[in-house]
């Protein structure tokens, strides 16, 4: 075999290199051979004589030398060093827990970023946590599944956030607060708890600890959008574009920022570039569709909305974009039909109330629109991060009920700047 994988590691037989998540670790040649012997006998004890034969080519060394070498291997494996155990008279054993296969399968499903994929991933990670309650990767996976299911609007955000907090807390207990976990927690503080100042402090700290993380850039961008700091948001994203132009959500969020800045023609141009790079990213098509709609390209906008719906059938609320566009451009009957279907779907599936409010406003039902915005607040809709800057809400801002909702979201201690005017 050219290489052997176990856990997050890969042992390269040709180069005698040990990699963790693609990054090479320093490993002495003798330690490499000792680890190789343990891997070849995975799940079985390797006694002193067998270890000498397989790892030292029969050259006699003391048991102390073997113990020191195995100790070096355990240290290099970090938190996974506990997979190597020792029993007197039996020797050393590398035992990769069953949870490892479940974790790998979980990340496979998670990478799909669909509701079905995330729910399957969550099931795998939860099984892994039961199989090995000390495997931090299982709890990290659980936390990220809950975070994405909530922040992508696939399931009720409030419920998903509670699950995220529990799993995230356990992952930190097991393996500390890494920059990635710090950024996840900060995202929760921003999106679900509306604690904007704390979120910014944590995200900036995560950026200092991991300056190459594109996810931190995107989350800072979203935070600055919420606070109506659109210049800061654009500057952060332009900085991210220099080194992370191929990260899917970077070009997508540039469309969003341009749209919120009312730079609709520029947003259209950004949308074309984003789709050239990532044609299967539904949020890019949504943002591009909005830019097209606000520049008067209605049929093209509808096409983008419908393609986004096809790409992400698990996101029922996407249909509200199409219906809103139809309502605003004379096709009210069709928009009302979609509204009725969305209300029917809501009986069994999550439908983001924020976008229902936008649709109802387009149908001139302002009272129901504000009821939906109130519902969005109580369900912790992620879309509320756009409340102060979203052009789609311009028609509601003069209503006194909007100010009441805005005060709930921002509070008196953490208030955002004044909203963008229509």
């Amino acid at each position: 075999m050219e290489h052997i994988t176990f856990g997050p590691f890969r042992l390269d037989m040709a180069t005698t290199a040990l990699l963790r998540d693609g990054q090479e670790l320093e490993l002495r040649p003798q330690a490499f051979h000792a680890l190789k012997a343990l891997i070849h006998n995975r799940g079985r004890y390797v006694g002193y004589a067998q270890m000498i034969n397989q790892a030292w080519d029969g050259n006699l060394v003391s048991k102390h030398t073997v113990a020191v070498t195995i100790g070096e291997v355990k240290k290099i494996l970090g938190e996974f060093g506990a997979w190597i155990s020792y029993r007197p008279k039996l020797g050393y054993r590398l035992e990769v827990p069953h949870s490892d296969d479940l974790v790998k399968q979980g990340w496979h499903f998670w990478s799909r970023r669909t509701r079905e994929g995330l729910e399957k991933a969550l099931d795998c990670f939860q099984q892994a946590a039961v199989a090995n309650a000390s495997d931090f990767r299982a709890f990290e996976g659980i936390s990220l599944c809950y975070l994405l299911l909530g922040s992508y609007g696939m399931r009720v955000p409030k419920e998903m956030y509670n699950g995220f907090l529990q799993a995230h807390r356990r992952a930190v207990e097991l393996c500390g607060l890494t920059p990635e976990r710090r950024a996840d927690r900060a995202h929760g503080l921003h999106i679900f708890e509306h604690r904007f100042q704390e979120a910014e402090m944590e995200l900036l700290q995560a950026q200092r600890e991991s300056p190459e993380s594109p996810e931190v850039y995107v989350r800072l961008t979203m935070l600055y959008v919420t606070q109506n700091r659109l210049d800061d948001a654009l500057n952060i994203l332009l900085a991210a574009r220099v080194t992370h132009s191929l990260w899917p959500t970077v070009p997508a969020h540039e469309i969003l920022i341009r749209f919120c800045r009312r730079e609709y023609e520029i947003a259209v141009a950004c949308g074309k570039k984003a789709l050239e790079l990532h044609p299967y990213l539904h949020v890019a098509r949504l943002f591009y569709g909005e830019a097209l709609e606000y520049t008067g390209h209605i049929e093209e906008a509808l096409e983008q909305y419908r393609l986004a719906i096809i790409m992400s059938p698990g996101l029922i609320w996407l249909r509200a974009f199409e219906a809103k566009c139809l309502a605003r451009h004379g096709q009210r009957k069709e928009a009302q039909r979609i509204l009725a279907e969305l209300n029917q779907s809501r009986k069994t599936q999550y439908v983001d109330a924020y976008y229902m409010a936008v649709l109802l406003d387009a149908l001139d039902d302002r009272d129901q629109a504000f009821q939906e915005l109130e519902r969005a607040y109580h369900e912790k809709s992620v879309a509320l991060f756009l409340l102060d800057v979203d052009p789609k809400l311009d028609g509601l801002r003069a209503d006194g009920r909007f100010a009441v909702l805005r005060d709930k979201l921002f509070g008196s201690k953490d208030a955002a700047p004044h909203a963008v005017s229509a």
Side-chain angles (χ1 to χ4, degrees):
M1 296 178 63
E2 293 184 359
H3 63 264
I4 300 173
T5 60
F6 64 104
F9 303 99
R10 185 178 74 177
L11 201 65
D12 193 309
M13 299 292 106
T15 63
T16 68
L18 176 66
L19 296 91
R20 176 171 179 171
D21 296 326
Q23 300 295 317
E24 186 171 353
L25 305 175
E26 291 187 14
L27 187 67
R28 287 191 309 115
Q30 190 55 63
F32 172 89
H33 292 298
L35 176 57
K36 179 181 174 182
L38 291 172
I39 291 174
H40 281 162
N41 295 278
R42 185 183 307 185
R44 302 188 299 272
Y45 284 102
V46 181
Y48 170 72
Q50 185 179 0
M51 181 65 75
I52 291 298
N53 183 51
Q54 293 186 7
W56 272 267
D57 291 329
N59 297 312
L60 291 178
V61 296
S62 68
K63 291 184 178 180
H64 174 72
T65 298
V66 173
V68 169
T69 304
I70 297 298
E72 180 183 342
V73 171
K74 293 181 68 172
K75 184 177 181 180
I76 290 170
L77 296 184
E79 64 271 26
F80 300 96
W83 289 358
I84 299 176
S85 60
Y86 172 76
R87 289 186 63 181
K89 298 183 180 180
L90 291 178
Y92 299 92
R93 178 178 66 175
L94 171 65
E95 188 168 22
V96 179
H98 174 58
S99 62
D100 186 59
D101 289 334
L102 289 166
V103 167
K104 289 179 179 177
Q105 189 175 13
W107 288 123
H108 168 72
F109 287 128
W110 184 88
S111 65
R112 297 181 184 178
R113 302 292 184 99
T114 62
R115 187 178 67 180
E116 180 185 15
L118 289 172
E119 288 176 344
K120 286 183 177 180
L122 180 60
D123 183 58
C124 289
F125 291 132
Q126 289 174 330
Q127 290 184 54
V130 172
N132 184 1
S134 63
D135 191 338
F136 78 90
R137 298 172 304 157
F139 292 95
E140 185 174 53
I142 292 171
S143 71
L144 283 172
C145 284
Y146 278 128
L147 188 63
L148 265 62
L149 284 167
S151 59
Y152 282 10
M154 296 173 179
R155 290 168 63 176
V156 181
K158 184 176 181 179
E159 297 173 3
M160 296 300 97
Y161 189 52
N162 290 334
F164 162 77
L165 288 175
Q166 294 180 28
H168 183 271
R169 189 178 300 115
R170 180 58 178 157
V172 172
E173 288 173 357
L174 290 170
C175 203
L177 188 62
T178 63
E180 293 76 17
R181 294 189 199 103
R182 185 185 296 278
D184 292 338
R185 181 71 182 96
H187 192 57
L189 289 170
H190 165 211
I191 292 296
F192 300 109
E193 298 188 46
H194 309 142
R195 292 156 60 181
F196 307 122
Q197 292 179 354
E198 292 177 57
E200 183 176 12
M201 290 174 59
E202 291 297 307
L203 283 171
L204 291 174
Q205 179 63 30
Q207 188 180 48
R208 287 190 290 269
E209 294 172 355
S210 182
E212 298 304 314
S213 171
E215 197 66 44
V216 174
Y217 281 95
V218 171
R219 287 173 174 174
L220 269 172
T221 294
M222 292 178 66
L223 176 62
Y224 292 152
V225 166
T226 298
Q227 296 176 306
N228 197 6
R229 297 163 58 182
L230 295 179
D231 288 345
D232 290 337
L234 183 59
N235 289 335
I236 284 286
L237 204 68
L238 292 178
R241 196 173 66 179
V242 173
T243 53
H244 303 295
S245 61
L246 297 181
W247 187 259
T249 51
V250 168
H253 277 77
E254 185 174 356
I255 311 171
L256 176 65
I257 293 172
R258 298 294 186 180
F259 179 71
C260 293
R261 289 166 63 96
R262 279 62 177 173
E263 298 170 354
Y264 302 128
E265 294 290 351
I266 299 177
V268 168
C270 290
K272 291 178 181 178
K273 292 179 181 178
L275 293 185
E276 286 177 3
L277 293 172
H278 307 287
Y280 303 110
L281 186 64
H282 75 273
V283 293
R285 290 198 177 273
L286 282 182
F287 297 157
Y288 180 42
E290 290 193 306
L292 288 167
E293 181 181 348
Y294 275 68
T295 52
H297 298 86
I298 308 307
E299 290 304 318
E300 293 177 56
L302 287 169
E303 180 184 5
Q304 294 305 318
Y305 294 147
R306 289 162 181 162
L307 284 171
I309 293 166
I310 293 170
M311 291 176 183
S312 299
L315 298 180
I316 305 301
W317 50 266
L318 292 179
R319 298 204 65 200
F321 280 78
E322 176 189 3
K324 170 263 299 179
C325 184
L326 291 169
R328 286 180 170 171
H329 296 90
Q331 301 183 54
R332 293 175 62 87
K333 186 175 181 179
E334 180 64 14
Q336 288 171 337
R337 184 186 66 79
I338 295 175
L339 174 62
E341 292 176 359
L342 287 169
N343 281 322
Q344 183 65 29
S345 297
R346 179 176 260 176
K347 295 177 181 179
T348 57
Q349 300 181 65
Y350 173 67
V351 177
D352 195 319
Y354 182 95
Y355 298 113
M356 292 290 279
V358 172
L359 170 54
L360 286 161
D361 179 50
L363 288 167
D364 300 319
D365 192 342
R366 183 156 295 183
D367 290 341
Q368 284 293 323
F370 275 105
Q371 288 183 29
E372 289 293 339
L373 284 177
E374 188 70 23
R375 179 171 182 165
Y377 175 77
H378 289 292
E379 291 179 344
K380 297 187 181 296
S381 165
V382 172
L384 283 171
F385 89 95
L386 291 168
L387 185 73
D388 246 14
V389 295
D390 191 347
K392 298 189 295 296
L393 299 186
D394 285 348
L396 300 176
R397 289 199 169 89
D399 192 301
R401 290 170 289 184
F402 189 89
V404 173
L405 175 65
R406 186 178 181 279
D407 287 345
K408 284 184 180 181
L409 186 69
F410 293 106
S412 58
K413 294 181 180 179
D414 216 353
H418 292 298
V420 173
S421 59

